[in-house]
Amino acid sequence: MKLLSFLLAVVLGLATAVSAGPAVIECWFVEDAGGGRLAKKPAALLLRQGPGGPPPRPDLDPQLYLKVHDPAGALQTAFRRYPPGAPAPHCEMSRYVLLPASVNWASGLTPEQSCPRALDGTWLMVSISSQVLSLSGLLRPQSEPQPEPALITMATGHSLTGSSIPAKPCTLPSGAPPATLLSERESPTGPGKRTQHPLCSLLLSLCLIFSPQTPPWGGAEANCSLWGRWLSPAGRAVLTVFTHTPSPRIRLGEDALLDLSFAYVPPTPVAATSLAPGPPPFGLEWRRQHLGKGHLVLAATPGLAAQMPAAQDGAVVFAAWDDDEPWGPWTGNGTLWLPAVQPFQEGTYLATVHLPYLQGQVTLELAVQKPPKVSLMPAPVVWAAPGEAPPELLCLVSHFYPPEGLEVEWELRGGPEGGFQKAKGQTWLSALRHHSDGSVSLSGHLQPPPVTAEQHGARYACRVHHTSLPALGRSAEVTLEVAGLSRPSLEDGIGLFLSAFLLLGLIKVLCWAAAYWSTSKDSEEKKAQ
């Protein structure tokens, strides 16, 4: 029984690890380089790690290799549905400046005249985007101790050297004064800056005193070991906003559901206990931008009695916290519902969650589409004599959206060459015809060249490609019949039989009528005599 429980736990653990998404997110740290230029540095976010500490990344600046502490589990929730074979998401990090909400209806979120002291410190904004996920998060960098050897930078009279020293002796020049150890991870002034660490200086002095042999300047190492605890750069996920439908495709006239989830964790335990128990009030804003124009679709401030702008286009939002823990973390929902979507409602939707001095925003690209109906006339058969051109073929492509991206191709299937080939002849498209629901229609025309006897039984096809259709598109076809070469088909035989049967029945009825009329006339003559 214990073995079965152990195996079940292992299987569940593996399933969780597989479905938890990527363990490391590769990012770019973007900052202003002056002169209107931006500088980019490689960075990484460590979402999960195995036993033994974070995997080493010598290719990164230690300050840009952040282990993310996510008490709300929002990042794992966001990446749980990330497809294993999908391309890696695009990730950017930048510094974030705390500012109150700029909209008037959210002014109640920041009644204080200045930012609370609990929000002091450095903040980072993370933006992650892909075809299946759009995420924005605010991280507050912090340092956490790790029971591993210290990554140190030692100062000599000529240079700075950095190394990870797991149980290795201290390096100290002979005859030199007590050295200063520099830690790139602990230095508040940044990597490579000289920072006095008295404890490290004392330990190096002890190495010098108790070493049985004093190494020469720049020579061998002293026989004492230095162990320490280094501070790993970490980031606390304070506000996380994400959606699993960054590029929704909605059929014209159907309802659209733009999902939005968010999570909030107080930046420090002191900040959590200094506020009233329960989730804080927040503001939710949905805006639409399209063709250079933008306007507010809907705004809400649950927990605040503020005068709100009227919702547009019949939009409804599900804005609420999902739980009411006294000190957090809290998760919320801000999904937007748009009824009977019309073409004018497509565009870029900006969903912004406002908290006191914190904002998180994600972008969704809503596209409205409707697949076309395709029909071909005349149908199902077109006739032509040898050496003559068939009648003009008309391909009707009706009620589709958007108008852009439509292609009409003509194919000749079968015939003397066999297979599929591009149909010869003159082709053109008509102008668009607009309908009341916003969809459009057009017709494609083909004037085939004169036919030969070998083309008997070939099929002309009209194939339509559109963004709302699969890769192969949608097609309709007619069969070409060359006069004088067609043999009677089963349908022809049945038709002839029915025609003969009806003709025979008609003759029989006429004979009966003639006989009845003749009999009636003879009876009248006999009565007259």
Side-chain angles (χ1 to χ4, degrees):
M1 185 65 181
K2 292 183 178 180
L3 179 60
L4 181 60
S5 301
F6 174 74
L7 293 177
L8 181 60
V10 170
V11 171
L12 292 177
L14 291 176
T16 302
V18 170
S19 61
V24 178
I25 303 297
E26 302 295 334
C27 294
W28 289 99
F29 181 76
V30 183
E31 58 182 348
D32 187 10
R37 296 179 296 107
L38 295 178
K40 286 187 176 183
K41 297 179 181 179
L45 298 176
L46 180 63
L47 304 184
R48 302 190 317 276
Q49 72 178 53
R57 289 295 299 270
D59 57 319
L60 298 178
D61 183 340
Q63 300 298 326
L64 299 181
Y65 184 28
L66 297 179
K67 177 185 176 182
V68 179
H69 180 50
D70 184 20
L75 291 172
Q76 289 191 6
T77 301
F79 282 99
R80 185 172 294 123
R81 287 161 39 180
Y82 203 86
H90 177 73
C91 173
E92 286 189 359
M93 287 196 305
S94 60
R95 301 189 187 278
Y96 179 78
V97 179
L98 300 182
L99 294 173
S102 59
V103 290
N104 295 330
W105 53 264
S107 60
L109 296 173
T110 54
E112 305 92 349
Q113 297 297 324
S114 60
C115 183
R117 302 296 300 178
L119 299 180
D120 285 351
T122 303
W123 289 79
L124 295 177
M125 181 176 64
V126 178
S127 299
I128 299 176
S129 59
S130 71
Q131 296 181 351
V132 295
L133 176 67
S134 180
L135 182 145
S136 176
L138 297 181
L139 304 181
R140 187 173 187 181
Q142 57 188 8
S143 298
E144 62 176 14
Q146 296 289 340
E148 293 198 359
L151 179 63
I152 64 173
T153 301
M154 292 176 291
T156 67
H158 304 286
S159 63
L160 297 174
T161 60
S163 61
S164 180
I165 50 171
K168 295 173 69 176
C170 309
T171 301
L172 189 66
S174 174
T180 299
L181 265 69
L182 306 178
S183 172
E184 287 191 355
R185 296 185 185 270
E186 297 177 350
S187 171
T189 56
K193 305 294 183 181
R194 295 174 179 262
T195 303
Q196 180 77 21
H197 200 305
L199 178 60
C200 292
S201 298
L202 176 61
L203 290 175
L204 279 178
S205 299
L206 292 176
C207 283
L208 183 66
I209 294 172
F210 292 101
S211 176
Q213 294 182 353
T214 302
W217 181 269
E221 297 174 330
N223 294 326
C224 68
S225 299
L226 175 64
W227 287 80
R229 293 168 65 86
W230 55 278
L231 297 178
S232 169
R236 182 181 180 89
V238 177
L239 176 61
T240 306
V241 183
F242 64 92
T243 176
H244 284 112
T245 56
S247 302
R249 299 290 183 265
I250 307 300
R251 186 159 181 166
L252 179 63
E254 295 185 354
D255 297 347
L257 202 63
L258 309 184
D259 78 279
L260 182 73
S261 302
F262 52 92
Y264 173 67
V265 180
T268 62
V270 176
T273 56
S274 63
L275 301 175
F282 69 96
L284 178 63
E285 178 183 11
W286 280 92
R287 299 187 67 87
R288 181 177 73 243
Q289 294 181 351
H290 186 54
L291 299 178
K293 298 180 180 180
H295 70 277
L296 180 67
V297 177
L298 187 145
T301 53
L304 292 178
Q307 185 68 29
M308 304 304 301
Q312 304 294 321
D313 309 329
V316 178
V317 69
F318 305 93
W321 293 108
D322 296 333
D323 40 34
D324 55 355
E325 296 292 330
W327 312 118
W330 302 284
T331 58
N333 182 18
T335 301
L336 179 69
W337 177 65
L338 298 173
V341 172
Q342 300 299 313
F344 71 89
Q345 293 177 280
E346 66 179 356
T348 301
Y349 281 75
L350 305 177
T352 307
V353 176
H354 297 273
L355 287 169
Y357 295 96
L358 304 176
Q359 295 88 32
Q361 184 182 88
V362 294
T363 302
L364 298 86
E365 295 290 340
L366 173 63
V368 179
Q369 60 183 17
K370 185 177 183 180
K373 299 178 181 179
V374 182
S375 59
L376 194 55
M377 298 178 60
V381 179
V382 58
W383 293 86
E388 296 182 358
E392 177 184 310
L393 300 182
L394 180 63
C395 181
L396 299 177
V397 186
S398 58
H399 294 86
F400 65 93
Y401 189 86
E404 301 82 10
L406 183 80
E407 296 181 3
V408 179
E409 299 177 351
W410 291 94
E411 299 174 352
L412 182 62
R413 304 173 180 178
E417 299 181 3
F420 290 7
Q421 55 183 315
K422 183 178 180 180
K424 299 179 181 180
Q426 185 179 3
T427 62
W428 66 94
L429 296 176
S430 69
L432 291 174
R433 298 184 297 276
H434 295 265
H435 303 285
S436 58
D437 63 348
S439 63
V440 296
S441 300
L442 59 76
S443 56
H445 301 258
L446 171 66
Q447 180 57 64
V451 300
T452 61
E454 290 78 8
Q455 292 178 323
H456 178 72
R459 293 161 295 158
Y460 279 101
C462 166
R463 183 177 297 277
V464 174
H465 297 277
H466 190 249
T467 55
S468 62
L469 295 174
L472 294 178
R474 183 172 293 176
S475 63
E477 64 178 29
V478 297
T479 303
L480 174 62
E481 298 286 350
V482 179
L485 299 178
S486 299
R487 298 179 180 178
S489 61
L490 178 61
E491 292 80 2
D492 296 335
I494 295 176
L496 291 174
F497 173 77
L498 293 176
S499 300
F501 182 79
L502 293 175
L503 181 60
L504 180 61
L506 180 60
I507 294 174
K508 194 69 173 177
V509 169
L510 292 177
C511 291
W512 288 343
Y516 176 77
W517 182 77
S518 177
T519 304
S520 300
K521 188 176 181 180
D522 292 342
S523 301
E524 291 178 357
E525 290 178 354
K526 288 181 180 181
K527 290 180 180 180
Q529 292 177 359

